[in-house]
């Protein structure tokens, strides 16, 4: 085995194992901490693929922001043990069918993959200029309209939070 | 290395959206200082007229071919603006009556409208999806804006859950389409799919997109959210939801299926024929059993989605025109009917209308007009809309579908005319039917009545 293969095998085993740990923990705080470790490993995998921008984003956004939000929710709700609610869909047949269907869809789609025409962002160009610069160029030039709309999409839920959560003293909202 | 900055995108085609979005943001600030709701509503209505004025001058493609403003989208945007103006007119007094509704209402309406406009103008599937999300997020909040009302909360959460579900379907379909063609541009997809034969992933992605859009237009079997949401949401929001997002859904259906999926037209036609027949059946038959008028109108709007799908299935130039006409007329008659529901102090249950003609003959007559129009009885506009649609479908060879539609529209007469029968032939249950007439609501009812009558008598005005 070459060195990259050893690296890849390590991340492969660790990510799967940590994911299993996340879903099997009874204590929710432990589950979140295992998830943190998993996110860091996924970041390492990105770095290993020479995608430094994604590695940083993975750490900042997932490990930094989203996980902290999870922890806040756990602290606010004060849940130590995972809740055991009755299953929404009883019987394993329905779930098995859904899984088989999804698997089928994946297999069909992967079998029919086509290599699309090469765009202007070739591997050579990305290696030459660096990830962050190329992503910035693409995002702020080619995809400026979707970028702006995403800004609005983030803005509307903020209004929503204010509208839905704020209550005045007289009982009206 | 010298970086050459790319040219600034041409903003002219984007002006209508820019107007709506900037007014929405400015209103958020204004609402803090300006306590006078009439002023804010007036700004919304002016925005609507300003956009209609700008639309024809701003035709073109911009943002690297992601955004297109053509005649097709202009026609849909006019429908959205009419919907916005009428909704603002009927909300003005209603919001003061329903105390817990907050001032952000108007900016959310504008954000939802901007999302619909982006959907109608999307030339790229990414913009289409983001426009859809902008519209959907704003409408989720609008449905739940009566925060202390448990039904309104339920409506919002149901709408949110099923909306997220349908978004997942849409994204799945888009990603498979991207895997097949390596582009998200709708016109480029059509070009690249031209040489490839139909394959299983293509059909699968088509089905996923059909499912996602059927959720948005509330077509059966993906209609389950709509009666609960329409019942729970504030009535003015219900009027908006039953017209705006539906028209936007049809706009994207037209764009995506006529252009991107042109090559597999027989397949998506089959899918839509099945959905159309189920929709007409469920919408009309379940509406018979409703006792709440908002639920009844929800099922009626499901049934109307079924009729409009016939025009989509026919896919000729004539039928597409008939679809747009239908949506335009439907906007007037449906918002008109909801305006009457708002006008009455107690107007949510069908038996509240018992004997309305004895106390309020004019209100009863106007409701009668809207009910006749929704059934499609001449000389109202509803007749012209249905007639046009069915004629275009017969010309396009969908005779059986038209036969089914006519049968179900005969069934629909039962529940629409039951309201009329309650108003004219039953004795009133209450001493007095209270109404809340305000100038804006009266004006909205006046506009809708005039449009329903005029378009019914002189259909050549819009056809």
């Amino acid at each position: 085995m070459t060195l990259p293969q050893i690296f890849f095998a390590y991340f492969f085993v660790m990510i799967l194992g940590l994911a299993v740990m996340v879903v099997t923990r009874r204590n929710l705080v432990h589950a979140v901490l295992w998830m943190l470790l998993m996110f860091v490993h996924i970041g390492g995998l990105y770095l290993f693929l020479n995608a430094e921008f994604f590695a940083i984003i993975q750490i900042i956004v997932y490990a930094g922001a989203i996980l902290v939000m999870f922890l806040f929710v756990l602290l606010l709700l004060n849940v130590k043990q995972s809740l055991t609610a009755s299953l929404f869909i009883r019987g394993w047949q329905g779930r098995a069918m859904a899984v088989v269907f999804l698997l089928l869809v994946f297999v069909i789609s992967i079998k029919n993959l086509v290599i699309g025409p090469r765009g202007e962002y070739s591997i050579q160009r990305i290696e030459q200029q660096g990830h962050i610069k190329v992503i910035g160029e693409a995002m702020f030039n080619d995809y400026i309209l979707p970028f702006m709309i995403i800004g609005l999409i983030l803005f509307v839920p903020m209004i929503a939070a204010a509208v839905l959560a704020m209550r005045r003293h007289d009982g009206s909202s | 290395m010298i970086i050459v900055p790319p040219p600034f995108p041409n903003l002219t085609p984007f002006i209508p959206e820019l107007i709506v979005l900037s007014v929405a943001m400015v209103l958020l600030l204004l609402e803090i200082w300006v306590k006078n709701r009439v002023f804010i509503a007036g700004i919304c209505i002016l925005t609507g007229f300003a956009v209609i004025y700008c639309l024809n001058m701003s035709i073109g493609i911009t943002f690297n071919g992601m955004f297109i403003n053509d005649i097709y989208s202009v026609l849909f945007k006019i429908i959205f603006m009419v919907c916005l103006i009428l909704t603002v007119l009927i909300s003005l007094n209603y919001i003061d009556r329903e105390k817990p509704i907050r001032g952000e209402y108007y900016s959310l309406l504008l954000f939802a409208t901007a999302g619909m406009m982006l959907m109608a103008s999307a030339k790229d599937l990414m913009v289409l999806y983001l426009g859809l999300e902008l519209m959907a997020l704003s409408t989720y909040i609008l449905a739940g804006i009566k925060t202390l009302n448990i039904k309104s909360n339920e409506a919002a959460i149901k709408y949110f859950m099923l909306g997220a579900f349908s978004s997942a379907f849409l994204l799945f379909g888009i990603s498979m389409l991207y895997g097949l063609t390596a582009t998200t541009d709708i016109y480029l997809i059509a070009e690249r799919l031209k040489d490839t034969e139909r394959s299983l992933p293509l059909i699968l992605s088509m089905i996923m997109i059909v499912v996602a859009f059927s959720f948005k237009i509330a077509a059966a079997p993906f209609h389950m959210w709509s009666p609960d949401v329409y019942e729970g949401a504030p009535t003015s929001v219900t009027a908006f939801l039953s017209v705006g997002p539906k028209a936007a859904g049809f706009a994207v259906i037209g764009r995506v299926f006529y252009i991107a999926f042109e090559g597999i037209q027989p397949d998506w036609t089959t899918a839509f024929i099945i959905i159309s027949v189920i929709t007409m059946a469920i919408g009309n038959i379940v509406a018979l059993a409703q006792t709440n008028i908002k639920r009844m109108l929800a099922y009626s709007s499901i049934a109307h989605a079924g009729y409009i799908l016939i025009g989509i299935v026919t896919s000729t130039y004539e039928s597409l025109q008939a679809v747009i006409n239908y949506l335009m007329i439907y906007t007037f008659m449906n918002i008109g009917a909801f305006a009457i529901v708002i006008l009455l102090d107690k107007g949510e249950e069908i038996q509240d209308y018992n004997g309305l003609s004895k106390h309020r003959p004019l209100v009863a007559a106007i409701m009668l007009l809207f009910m006749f129009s929704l059934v499609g009885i001449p000389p109202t506009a509803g007749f012209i809309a249905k007639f046009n649609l069915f004629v275009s479908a017969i010309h396009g060879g969908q005779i059986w579908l038209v036969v089914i539609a006519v049968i179900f529209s005969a069934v629909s007469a039962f529940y629409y005319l039951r309201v009329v029968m309650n108003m004219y032939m039953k004795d009133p249950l209450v001493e007095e039917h209270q109404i809340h007439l305000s100038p804006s609501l009266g004006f909205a009812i006046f506009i809708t009545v005039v449009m329903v009558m005029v378009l019914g008598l002189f259909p050549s005005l819009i056809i």
Side-chain angles (χ1 to χ4, degrees):
Chain A
M1 268 216 292
T2 59
L3 197 61
Q5 277 174 333
I6 293 169
F7 264 110
F8 183 74
Y10 168 74
F11 284 120
F12 176 78
V13 172
M14 282 305 276
I15 289 171
L16 279 185
L18 288 168
V20 171
M21 290 299 273
V22 172
V23 291
T24 51
R25 292 308 91 191
R26 284 233 163 254
N27 187 325
L28 286 177
V29 179
H30 288 186
V32 169
L33 291 176
W34 281 113
M35 207 193 305
L36 173 69
L37 210 54
M38 186 185 77
F39 283 153
V40 173
H41 274 82
I42 294 175
L45 189 63
Y46 282 135
L47 207 55
F48 169 69
L49 291 171
N50 277 337
E52 73 275 4
F53 181 69
F54 282 119
I56 300 289
I57 286 291
Q58 172 76 24
I59 302 289
I60 293 176
V61 172
Y62 280 91
I66 291 182
L67 225 97
V68 170
M69 199 177 70
F70 278 2
L71 279 175
F72 264 122
V73 171
L74 288 182
L75 291 175
L76 282 175
L77 294 178
N78 201 14
V79 246
K80 297 248 172 55
Q81 291 281 310
S82 65
L83 301 166
T84 45
S86 58
L87 290 173
F88 186 61
I89 301 168
R90 285 175 192 287
W92 55 272
Q93 291 95 339
R95 275 174 277 160
M97 260 169 66
V99 169
V100 168
F101 172 73
L102 208 60
L103 204 67
L104 215 66
V105 171
F106 282 137
V107 169
I108 292 168
S109 3
I110 289 169
K111 267 186 70 178
N112 287 274
L113 272 183
V114 272
I115 307 293
R118 300 267 165 195
E120 56 179 310
Y121 296 104
S122 59
I123 292 174
Q124 288 78 32
R125 182 168 166 197
I126 290 171
E127 275 178 353
Q128 197 190 348
Q129 296 192 351
H131 260 74
I132 300 172
K133 194 169 164 194
V134 173
I135 286 177
E137 270 180 33
M139 203 187 289
F140 295 113
N141 295 334
D142 301 354
Y143 295 97
I144 183 70
L145 181 63
F147 188 76
M148 282 186 338
I149 307 171
I150 286 177
L152 290 169
I153 288 179
L154 292 176
F155 181 55
V156 169
M158 265 163 41
I159 309 172
V163 169
L164 298 179
M166 209 151 81
R167 288 198 162 77
R168 299 218 175 101
H169 292 295
D170 57 352
S172 68
S173 62
Chain B
M1 191 180 147
I2 303 158
I3 300 171
V4 185
F8 192 73
N10 173 19
L11 284 182
T12 322
F14 198 59
I15 285 176
E17 280 78 3
L18 269 186
I19 295 176
V20 174
L21 287 172
S22 38
V23 172
M25 304 232 195
V26 170
L27 277 192
L28 270 182
L29 290 176
L30 271 185
E31 272 152 359
I32 301 171
W33 292 298
V34 183
K35 290 290 166 218
N36 188 355
R37 292 269 177 266
V38 179
F39 180 67
I40 287 177
I43 291 179
C44 288
I45 292 165
L46 276 182
T47 312
F49 283 114
V51 168
I52 293 177
Y53 179 74
C54 293
L55 275 175
N56 275 323
M57 289 183 283
S58 56
I59 284 180
I61 299 176
T62 184
F63 289 115
N64 302 307
M66 288 202 163
F67 183 90
I68 181 170
N69 197 16
D70 52 3
I71 295 296
Y72 178 77
S73 65
V74 164
L75 288 173
F76 273 101
K77 282 176 193 173
I78 291 175
I79 296 177
F80 301 151
M81 285 309 128
V82 170
C83 174
L84 174 74
I85 292 170
L86 289 176
T87 311
V88 170
L89 281 175
I90 63 173
S91 323
L92 188 55
N93 183 38
Y94 179 73
I95 287 199
D96 290 337
R97 244 162 74 201
E98 305 280 325
K99 274 280 173 261
I101 292 185
R102 297 179 56 85
E104 285 83 2
Y105 179 86
Y106 292 107
S107 13
L108 287 171
L109 270 183
L110 286 173
F111 275 122
T113 310
M116 297 191 286
M117 292 164 77
L118 283 167
M119 280 165 83
S121 287
K123 192 171 165 291
D124 193 285
L125 288 173
M126 245 188 289
V127 176
L128 187 154
Y129 169 70
L130 291 172
L132 188 140
E133 279 300 302
L134 181 60
M135 174 198 83
L137 283 170
S138 318
T139 48
Y140 301 150
I141 310 162
L142 283 173
I145 203 159
K146 280 162 79 177
T147 41
L148 297 178
N149 182 318
I150 197 102
K151 272 197 166 172
S152 182
N153 294 355
E154 185 199 334
I157 205 86
K158 258 189 190 156
Y159 200 14
F160 174 65
M161 289 298 196
L162 288 171
F165 193 56
S166 75
S167 291
F169 271 101
L170 180 60
L171 284 178
F172 211 157
I174 289 176
S175 67
M176 289 179 77
L177 210 51
Y178 180 75
L180 285 169
T181 58
T183 177
T184 51
D185 187 299
I186 294 174
Y187 290 77
L188 254 166
I189 287 173
E191 216 169 88
R192 295 202 182 147
L193 285 180
K194 213 170 258 171
D195 342 304
T196 57
E197 58 214 89
R198 58 194 272 268
S199 55
L200 200 52
L202 184 59
I203 304 291
L204 261 176
S205 85
M206 182 272 289
I207 289 172
M208 300 243 184
I209 294 177
V210 165
V211 169
F213 290 161
S214 301
F215 264 109
K216 283 292 161 229
I217 61 170
F222 313 105
H223 65 287
M224 275 77 116
W225 56 272
S226 82
D228 292 331
V229 172
Y230 286 14
E231 189 193 350
T235 313
S236 56
V237 175
T238 311
F240 183 74
L241 288 183
S242 66
V243 176
K246 195 163 283 219
F250 280 108
V252 288
I253 284 179
R255 180 90 68 188
V256 171
F257 286 94
Y258 284 178
I259 294 162
F261 287 121
E262 200 191 3
I264 51 165
Q265 202 205 8
D267 299 278
W268 63 257
T269 308
T270 318
F272 274 131
I273 287 176
I274 297 166
I275 289 179
S276 164
V277 172
I278 300 175
T279 307
M280 287 188 287
I282 289 185
N284 283 314
I285 292 168
V286 183
L288 298 176
Q290 301 306 318
T291 56
N292 180 304
I293 197 154
K294 278 162 85 180
R295 283 187 89 84
M296 188 203 94
L297 285 171
Y299 279 105
S300 114
S301 92
I302 293 170
H304 281 282
Y307 304 139
I308 301 170
L309 274 179
I310 296 174
I312 297 284
V313 163
T314 313
S315 60
T316 56
Y317 181 72
E318 190 193 357
S319 77
L320 196 61
Q321 220 171 15
V323 165
I324 295 173
N325 278 338
Y326 198 110
L327 283 167
M328 192 69 183
I329 290 171
Y330 177 73
T331 307
F332 285 114
M333 59 190 185
N334 212 38
I335 294 190
F338 277 111
I340 299 290
V341 176
I342 287 179
L343 179 69
L344 291 169
D345 183 46
K346 254 174 62 96
E348 301 236 328
E349 298 295 321
I350 291 180
Q351 55 177 346
D352 291 340
Y353 291 79
N354 285 6
L356 186 64
S357 67
K358 301 215 168 53
H359 297 144
R360 304 278 175 191
L362 186 62
V363 176
I366 293 170
M367 192 63 170
L368 170 104
L369 179 76
F370 291 135
M371 288 296 134
F372 275 15
S373 185
L374 284 166
V375 188
I377 295 175
T380 56
F383 167 73
I384 301 298
K386 264 191 190 156
F387 180 77
N388 249 321
L389 192 72
F390 292 167
V391 165
S392 74
I394 288 172
H395 288 170
Q398 302 287 350
I399 294 170
W400 277 109
L401 213 48
V402 173
V403 170
I404 296 170
V406 170
I407 291 170
F408 279 121
S409 58
V411 172
S412 78
F414 177 83
Y415 58 86
Y416 289 127
L417 296 187
R418 189 172 55 187
V419 177
V420 175
M421 190 194 77
N422 280 8
M423 289 192 302
Y424 281 90
M425 293 173 191
K426 287 205 174 160
D427 289 326
L429 293 173
V430 287
E431 291 287 305
E432 177 70 49
H433 282 95
Q434 287 286 335
I435 61 169
H436 295 275
L437 188 62
S438 68
S440 65
L441 186 56
F443 189 54
I445 294 173
F446 176 74
I447 295 175
T448 47
V449 167
V450 166
M451 289 311 276
V452 167
M453 288 300 291
V454 168
L455 294 180
L457 293 171
F458 307 103
S460 54
L461 287 177
I462 58 164
I463 292 165

